[in-house]
């Protein structure tokens, strides 16, 4: 069992860290990874992320840097930008944000002043911390107004969004989030934002790969600013990008540098460029549609077993499950599942009476198992394992039996970055 590329120098220099990385590779190999925001990157992406580009400082942008020696870095960053623009059909791309939170902060810095109103989805309804949630700087330094889902449908209430936008006239409107199982109507958000003169920011971190692969409508043309991480369904390294129309490009670039960040992580930029090239291949379109097919099949199998899915199902890569009717909270269920070889996260559900650190639900996603090659045929078995594990929460011996069955299945599905 070996990490790929092999960790020879690391093992010689620091066997403790090398051992932990090897063990993590095996852990990722042996588990059904259902964390909706995670994936397995290709070995090419791994190699690009682990290069001498990590040695370079390159504050600024191509052709206008603050350090010398940028002849090759400029080319790497320009390739990443051009590939991002081509993949998403955007006028402009900034590939420097360190991750999703600074990407979203850039929208605030570019288009709002402290104290301004911003409209975003509440965290328990599926939004992100940086869409104005109270514990985030974005909720402390701006005046957040929140929309959510309807109690009867579990779906976004666009009438509420429109009413709140008309009443509060926010500077920014955020759409997208971290636990939204349904298609986001970017056109409707675009209309609302135009009506009230707000900048619409579409945070497509979760669904960027689906958008790139044609399995979810694009926000480009509706949102002036599109932020995304690069490591979820897009299947790149840990990082982020911002796409904009021509009018909003300069302000976003200035907000990222010098507004928020110093030197970009050039090794990450190279790996983003590689992932973007991969996402332009026809196989990636198949991958994006396969993620959704797997999620729908898993949803169906879980509903058959009596699981209560927020909104009644899924249109994308993600399922949000309220476990109240199963008599177990999200956290102990997630812990039992982890022991059983099924990795996911506990999650608040809309109108959750429980606390965020001990909520009622779990969140499930299919990007990683789709990369491993699992198909809709496997989903009834995965639903059975989930059910057995949830029912047996607290019974470690029962979970260990499931974990062995899962290792057996996964041994037939290779993992990029690891040789079994
Ligand atoms: N932590 C990410 C997720 O899991 O959805 C969002 O930032």
């Amino acid at each position: 069992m070996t990490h790929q590329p092999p960790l020879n120098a690391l093992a010689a220099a620091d066997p403790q860290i090398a051992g932990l990385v090897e063990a993590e590779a095996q852990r990722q190999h042996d588990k059904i990874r259902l964390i909706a925001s995670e994936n397995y990157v290709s070995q090419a992406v791994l190699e690009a992320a682990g290069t001498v580009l990590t040695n370079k400082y390159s504050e600024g942008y191509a052709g206008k840097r603050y350090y010398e020696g940028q002849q090759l870095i400029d080319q790497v960053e320009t390739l990443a930008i051009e590939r991002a623009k081509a993949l998403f059909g955007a006028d402009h791309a900034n590939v420097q944000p360190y991750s999703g939170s600074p990407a979203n902060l850039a929208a605030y810095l570019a288009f709002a002043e402290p104290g301004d109103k911003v409209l975003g989805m509440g965290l328990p309804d599926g939004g992100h911390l940086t869409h104005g949630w109270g514990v985030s700087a974005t909720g402390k330094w701006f005046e957040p107004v929140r929309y959510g889902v309807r109690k009867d449908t579990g779906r976004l209430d666009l009438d509420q969004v429109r009413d709140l936008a008309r009443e509060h006239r926010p500077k920014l409107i955020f759409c997208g989030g971290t636990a939204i199982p349904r298609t986001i109507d970017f056109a409707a958000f675009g209309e609302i934002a135009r009506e009230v003169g707000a900048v619409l920011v579409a945070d497509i971190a979760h669904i960027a790969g689906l958008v790139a692969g044609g399995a979810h409508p694009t926000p480009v043309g509706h949102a002036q600013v599109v932020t995304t991480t690069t490591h979820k369904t897009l299947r790149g390294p840990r990082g982020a990008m911002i796409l904009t129309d021509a009018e909003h490009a300069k302000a976003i670039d200035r907000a990222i540098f010098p507004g928020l960040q110093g030197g970009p992580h050039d090794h990450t930029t190279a790996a983003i460029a590689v992932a973007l090239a991969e996402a332009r291949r026809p196989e990636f379109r198949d991958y994006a549609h396969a993620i959704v097919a797997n999620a729908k099949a898993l949803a169906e199998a879980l509903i058959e077993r009596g699981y209560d899915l927020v909104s009644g199902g899924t249109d994308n890569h993600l399922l949000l499950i309220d476990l109240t009717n199963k008599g177990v909270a999200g956290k102990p269920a997630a812990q039992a599942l982890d022991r059983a070889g099924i990795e996911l996260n506990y999650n608040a559900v809309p109108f959750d009476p429980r606390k965020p650190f001990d909520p009622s639900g779990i969140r499930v996603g299919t990007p990683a198992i789709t990369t491993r090659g699992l198909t809709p045929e496997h989903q009834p078995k995965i639903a059975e394992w989930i059910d057995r594990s949830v029912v047996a929460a607290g019974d470690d011996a029962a979970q260990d039996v499931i974990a062995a069955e899962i290792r057996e299945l996964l041994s037939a599905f290779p993992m990029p970055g690891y040789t079994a």
Side-chain angles (χ1 to χ4, degrees):
M1 298 158 306
T2 326
H3 187 279
Q4 296 298 332
L7 307 176
N8 299 336
L10 180 61
D14 193 333
Q16 264 182 307
I17 288 292
L20 290 170
V21 176
E22 289 287 1
E24 171 64 12
Q26 175 156 13
R27 193 194 67 77
Q28 292 185 14
H29 178 269
D30 288 350
K31 281 188 149 175
I32 290 184
R33 297 176 59 229
L34 294 176
I35 292 180
S37 46
E38 293 185 354
N39 212 327
Y40 298 94
V41 298
S42 69
Q43 198 172 322
V45 168
L46 277 180
E47 286 181 10
T51 60
V52 294
L53 272 60
T54 198
N55 297 339
K56 194 71 195 109
Y57 251 117
S58 47
E59 278 155 317
Y61 292 101
K64 207 176 158 205
R65 306 276 189 189
Y66 290 77
Y67 296 77
E68 295 310 316
Q70 309 295 343
Q71 297 84 352
L72 304 163
I73 295 299
D74 275 4
Q75 293 181 54
V76 169
E77 188 171 321
T78 301
L79 267 176
I81 288 169
E82 291 307 321
R83 289 175 185 179
K85 285 162 60 179
L87 183 65
F88 290 97
D91 293 341
H92 178 76
N94 185 309
V95 295
Q96 294 193 2
Y98 298 144
S99 202
S101 296
N104 284 341
L105 284 180
Y108 289 86
L109 185 60
F111 306 116
E113 297 291 330
D116 278 348
K117 287 187 178 173
V118 296
L119 179 58
M121 196 175 205
L123 192 65
D125 291 81
H128 189 254
L129 282 166
T130 55
H131 299 178
W133 196 243
V135 293
S136 152
T138 62
K140 291 183 196 293
W141 296 342
F142 298 87
E143 193 181 324
V145 181
R146 295 187 191 107
Y147 61 86
V149 297
R150 287 174 59 110
K151 202 164 191 176
D152 54 343
T153 61
R155 289 177 186 247
L156 189 77
D157 187 345
L158 276 166
D159 291 335
Q160 185 201 26
V161 177
R162 191 176 298 102
D163 290 347
L164 288 170
R166 283 177 177 161
E167 182 186 343
H168 294 280
R169 320 265 329 163
K171 280 277 174 62
L172 295 176
I173 298 178
F174 277 86
C175 59
T178 61
I180 304 172
R182 295 297 182 177
T183 301
I184 300 164
D185 187 345
F186 294 121
F189 270 102
E191 260 176 44
I192 294 168
R194 268 195 305 281
E195 184 191 321
V196 301
V199 172
L200 179 63
V201 184
D203 178 345
I204 62 165
H206 265 259
I207 56 170
L210 305 185
V211 171
H216 189 290
T218 181
V220 173
H222 303 296
Q224 296 98 326
V225 179
V226 177
T227 62
T228 182
T229 49
T230 45
H231 47 268
K232 299 185 173 94
T233 48
L234 193 55
R235 212 162 56 178
R238 305 296 296 224
M241 306 189 301
I242 308 177
L243 310 169
T244 72
D245 60 14
E247 186 188 337
H248 295 79
K250 268 211 178 92
I252 283 292
D253 280 354
R254 271 199 303 268
I256 287 292
F257 179 83
L260 287 168
Q261 296 190 168
H265 295 174
D266 298 316
H267 55 302
T268 302
T269 307
I272 289 173
V274 173
L276 291 167
E278 290 176 354
R280 289 183 73 185
R281 295 193 192 126
E283 308 87 272
F284 194 87
R285 288 187 83 77
D286 298 341
Y287 168 64
H289 286 93
I291 291 174
V292 177
N294 275 337
K296 283 181 183 292
L298 183 55
E300 206 174 295
L302 285 166
I303 288 167
E304 266 173 31
R305 290 179 175 274
Y307 283 81
D308 179 9
L309 270 57
V310 172
S311 84
T314 183
D315 298 326
N316 55 29
H317 65 301
L318 181 153
L319 284 53
L320 188 57
I321 304 171
D322 185 343
L323 290 172
T324 307
N325 69 343
K326 295 287 175 185
V328 55
K331 194 171 184 174
Q335 287 166 343
L337 285 155
D338 190 48
R339 173 96 189 200
I342 298 171
E343 187 187 355
L344 44 70
N345 65 286
Y346 55 87
N347 214 98
V349 296
F351 310 99
D352 203 327
R354 301 177 66 91
K355 293 201 158 51
F357 201 60
D358 184 21
S360 300
I362 52 175
R363 188 184 65 162
V364 169
T366 52
I369 58 168
T370 308
T371 297
R372 284 295 286 272
L374 298 182
T375 64
E377 282 166 26
H378 299 106
Q379 305 311 318
K381 189 69 195 172
I382 294 176
E384 181 206 309
W385 279 323
I386 290 175
D387 193 29
R388 274 168 57 195
S389 172
V390 167
V391 168
D395 178 349
D396 285 351
Q399 311 300 347
D400 291 347
V401 171
I402 299 169
E405 292 172 16
I406 285 173
R407 279 197 299 277
E408 169 73 23
L409 174 84
L410 289 179
S411 63
F413 295 90
M415 165 187 153
Y418 178 80
T419 311

